[in-house]
Amino acid sequence: MSLVLDPAAQDLLFREARTANTFIDEPVTDEQVQAIYDLVKYGPTAFNQSPLRITLVRSAEARERLVKHMAEGNQPKTAAAPLVAILSADNEFHEELPELFPHFPQAKDAFFAERPVRENSALLNAALQAGYFIVGVRAAGLAAGPMTGLDFEGVRKEFLDDDHTPLMVVNIGKPGPDAWFPRSPRLAFEQVVTTV
């Protein structure tokens, strides 16, 4: 059985997509980011909670503040990327549920009244949305460099608040020279899938 998605799109989104380590000096516009979000916002989450929050780091001053929280090997990449996004989980996502889940507005209190429950759900669903976001960046013809090598608590204190949990930093732009490391192996179907 073949996939419905055009093979060129399959390559763009998956087969040829890798983490970019260098970028050319071409800006990523707000319009491009808006188009990415307008596509990926339709990816499903539990209760349609949509807890992902995106902080765009554009100013030189903010970039400098972020770079100091990145692991040493990631600092030059983040310093040079045309655009950097901090992806975080909103632990107070439940406040939006009456709008996002209108057929059961009681979900806010029935399922998410307790903070630990919200934090677990926000983390899982925002991570799911982060995957959508990375694929959306690729769909826009850009390269993504997602990274978790960073001081999470430092990033939270510097850019977020106690209601947001940082997930990753994503460098975004058109790939530069030697942007890709060689493709790493993947597990075979038989190693991953079990039928019971």
Side-chain angles (χ1 to χ4, degrees):
M1 180 175 136
S2 63
L3 299 173
V4 173
L5 190 64
D6 176 77
Q10 294 172 35
D11 289 343
L12 175 71
L13 299 179
F14 296 101
R15 291 191 197 99
E16 294 177 3
R18 301 206 288 282
T19 296
N21 295 290
T22 67
F23 299 90
I24 63 171
D25 188 22
E26 181 180 312
V28 177
T29 68
D30 287 340
E31 291 78 18
Q32 287 172 299
V33 178
Q34 173 90 46
I36 292 165
Y37 176 73
D38 285 342
L39 174 65
V40 304
K41 69 183 179 183
Y42 294 109
T45 56
F47 292 91
N48 196 36
Q49 65 188 247
S50 307
L52 181 71
R53 301 295 179 262
I54 303 164
T55 303
L56 299 178
V57 181
R58 287 207 179 272
S59 73
E61 178 269 334
R63 182 75 60 102
E64 197 172 297
R65 287 169 38 220
L66 176 59
V67 166
K68 72 181 183 183
H69 296 293
M70 302 303 295
E72 186 176 341
N74 292 334
Q75 289 179 354
K77 295 184 268 191
T78 299
L83 179 63
V84 181
I86 300 168
L87 304 187
S88 63
D90 182 358
N91 297 308
E92 297 298 312
F93 68 85
H94 69 307
E95 296 296 343
E96 309 295 338
L97 284 181
E99 177 185 346
L100 294 175
F101 208 61
H103 52 284
F104 185 41
Q106 304 91 327
K108 172 187 173 191
D109 299 315
F111 295 102
F112 300 109
E114 297 180 16
R115 175 71 179 235
V117 173
R118 289 198 307 275
E119 288 178 352
N120 287 337
S121 191
L123 190 63
L124 173 65
N125 286 279
L128 181 63
Q129 286 187 285
Y132 300 147
F133 181 80
I134 292 165
V135 172
V137 168
R138 294 170 179 165
L142 300 169
M147 297 176 296
T148 56
L150 55 107
D151 173 4
F152 285 91
E153 185 59 17
V155 168
R156 188 192 62 73
K157 286 181 179 177
E158 192 84 45
F159 293 95
L160 306 170
D161 59 32
D162 289 339
D163 290 332
H164 293 80
T165 303
L167 301 172
M168 66 183 68
V169 166
V170 183
N171 297 328
I172 303 169
K174 295 272 180 87
D178 302 316
W180 322 114
F181 293 140
R183 169 73 74 197
S184 296
R186 296 297 192 266
L187 295 175
F189 180 83
E190 297 78 16
Q191 293 173 282
V192 176
V193 176
T194 303
T195 303
V196 294

